Amino acid sequence: MPGPIQSIERAAAALRLLAAAPEGLGVVELGTALTLAKTTAHGILRTLVDVGFVEQAEDGRYRVSEDLADLGRPRIDANDLRAQAVNWADSLASRTGESVRLAVLAEGRALVVHHVFRPDDSRQELAVGTSLPAHACALGKVLLAWSVGGRRGARLPALTQRTVVDPAVLRRTLAAVREQGWALDVEELLAGTASIAAPVRDRGGLVVGAIGIDGESERLVDTRGRPRAGLVPAVRQAARSVSRGLGARGA
Amino acid sequence: MATELQDGERPEHRGYVAAVDQGTTSTRCILFDHSGRLVAIAQREHRQHYPRPGWVEHDAAEIWRNVARLVPQAMAQVDAEPGDVVAIGIANQRETVVAWDRHTGVPVGHAVVWQDTRTADLVDALAADGGTHRFAEACGLPLTTYFAAPRMRWLLDEVPGLRRRAEAGDVLFGTIDSWLVWNLTGGPDGGTHVTDVTNASRTMLMDLRTLDYSPQMLEEFGIPRACLPEIRSSSEVYGTARTVVPGARIGAALGDQQAALFGQTCFSPGEAKCTYGTGGFLLMNTGTEITRSSHGLLTTVAHRIGDEPPAYALEGSIAVTGSLVQWLRDNLGLISTAPEIETLARTVPDNGGCYFVPAFSGLFAPHWRSEARGLIVGLTSFVTKGHIARAALEATAWQTREVVEAMDADSGLRLASLRVDGGMTSNNLLMQTVADVLDAPVVRPMVSETVSLGAAYAAGLAVGFWPDTQALRRRWHRAAQWDPTMDPATRASGWKDWQQAVQRTFGWIRH
């Protein structure tokens, strides 16, 4: 087993010093305190700034960033996410004629935080607050595909005959989702229903949610189970627009 | 043309209507396509100036710069060229007054905003001779600091030399719609000086029956006709833009709340909507007849399309709704973003006996108590910030009920369901609470940006992009619905508590 990694130890020591200095520290002060050369101290600080744990103020001094304090918290409040997504969710429903849902990952499931009715003025129930088994719907697959440390080896219950229940198959599916940038479910959650979803990213590029459409499988996919023309681009465009509102670069 | 024709799209259906929503805190430009879908949005906040307590001002030049910047930004999102913009529609914050030099286009000082209460003494003096309702017959409005005419009078009295320049026609007055249309159509170089019936109906200067300036009101307020814009329909081509989107026709202007009523396609008598923004605004279309209120509502113009007869509306305004959430964020620091109010409120199952009446600058409809001030009552050691958050959201719901009851009483109709829009409709807890306290379904349409949509619809109608209001109605779809689930006993006792809390705000400011 290798010994402790020196640069990580130094970074940790730098963070402790910075956290204890509300006024912030300069490169020289930090170098002196840790008995490091100025260039080494500078390199550590620049790296910590790059990963977002440290900020450099206008006066040139370094402080720990708010991101560091928020490490354990969700990156964005679900109600904030909905507020950002409302306009684009409406447009997506209007463009595709299908109902739209926005979901976040909560306890391994896809928690619906926003729902737009299918625009046919039929009687529909608001699904906000319901949570869906992540492995069986497009929203959930998107969320799992980009989640870190997802629950390995968890049992995958079958909801229909088509639900993916083999963890190895799911792993391959999620890799394909990451590759193509969107996810599909054809009657894996509910017989006769299909769904398509794409990732919503925050300003740091992290996937914080998924937005997608769901509806009768006949309307969403062709006889060979492929999404009908125009639907995937519409979903991905909505996801990009929401991401842009959250400050995602290149979205 | 940058827009490509898609399969099945007809050439006359391509292009976009650009809506400019010039609001109290920000300006937005939204592009809508022929299906009424939002395709691009650009937004920018402008500075609020508070030079003295009770004074609220905007820099009209900054607002115009923002409009000039935002429209091309929105167009760039869909690679639209000026030729792709079939019409421009304007929706604007109402009752805010701008005065500017006709020869240079430079505003005379800052615009005086609708929230500004500097005219309180002036209004009291005018009301001393016949009461606050002495002009209601002509203009449908009570004498308060809320409307535009007292602000115009204040500027004419207080700015040295302004009256002389206004009488000579060297200085122009208007609401924000007039300022934007004048600048878009060339400004000092032949700009068109107009306003629409909905904006004019908020000045106190227009006679609701003739839709023209009332000579009596002009005289009462001492405002020279020469400086005022011509009153036109809400949906008609006022002119062609010579800048920003050169060649685009300007097809509509409406006050923002009337624009939202239009965007919700409330074209028939009895149809109503409530917009939840900084404040809350419930408007009901009352048809071509003028309906007077005996329950504290305002009579106003809903819209006028071309040469058709005007549609009138009853309006109930709630001064503080979304701004209460902002206050919890900015003044108390309970939350870091407005939507987080819902997260905080959901940490508790009910209000814990706590009620919050946000009478920050008095109460609007149906009370109209300028001397009332806000309070939080029912505090015990049990109450947490979660209860306060819940009480704040419930305040919006209870105030909605007050206005709905006044509306029912005046119109003789019972509102079967409430159409809602505006930023706060993304708050599910609030919408459920509104449904619960009204005991009626609350319905959100597919486009929640109804202010912009209404301006776009009216402008598109004016240029023939859409044939008629029926075609617009077909574009309205239900996006969400909240049904009441509260048991009647809880509703009744909450309503009683709320009314008791409201009573306690009265008479706080002693004259």
Side-chain angles (χ1 to χ4, degrees), chain A residues 77 79-80 82-83 86-88 90-91 93-95 113-119 121-123 126 128 244, chain B residues 37-39 41 77 337 339-340 342-343 426 428 444-449 476-483:
Chain A
D77 184 275
N79 293 311
D80 263 325
R82 179 192 314 116
V86 165
N87 285 331
W88 304 113
D90 285 348
S91 277
S94 167
R95 244 177 107 174
V113 296
H114 184 51
H115 176 200
V116 182
F117 290 168
R118 189 173 58 251
D121 297 331
S122 63
R123 181 82 202 167
L126 211 52
V128 174
R244 193 168 55 215
Chain B
R37 286 195 293 256
L38 182 157
V39 298
I41 178 166
Q77 289 174 18
T337 66
E340 274 179 32
E342 183 172 354
T343 313
S426 74
N428 278 277
R444 182 178 82 78
M446 195 59 83
V447 175
S448 58
E449 299 285 350
W476 188 96
H477 293 294
R478 189 191 346 253
Q481 175 165 327
W482 294 267
D483 292 311

Side-chain angles (χ1 to χ4, degrees), chain B residues 308-340:
Chain B
E308 292 174 22
Y312 292 95
L314 278 173
E315 170 173 332
S317 5
I318 306 164
V320 174
T321 56
S323 55
L324 178 56
V325 176
Q326 287 165 0
W327 184 83
L328 292 174
R329 180 192 66 190
D330 300 337
N331 294 35
L332 296 194
L334 280 190
I335 44 178
S336 58
T337 66
E340 274 179 32

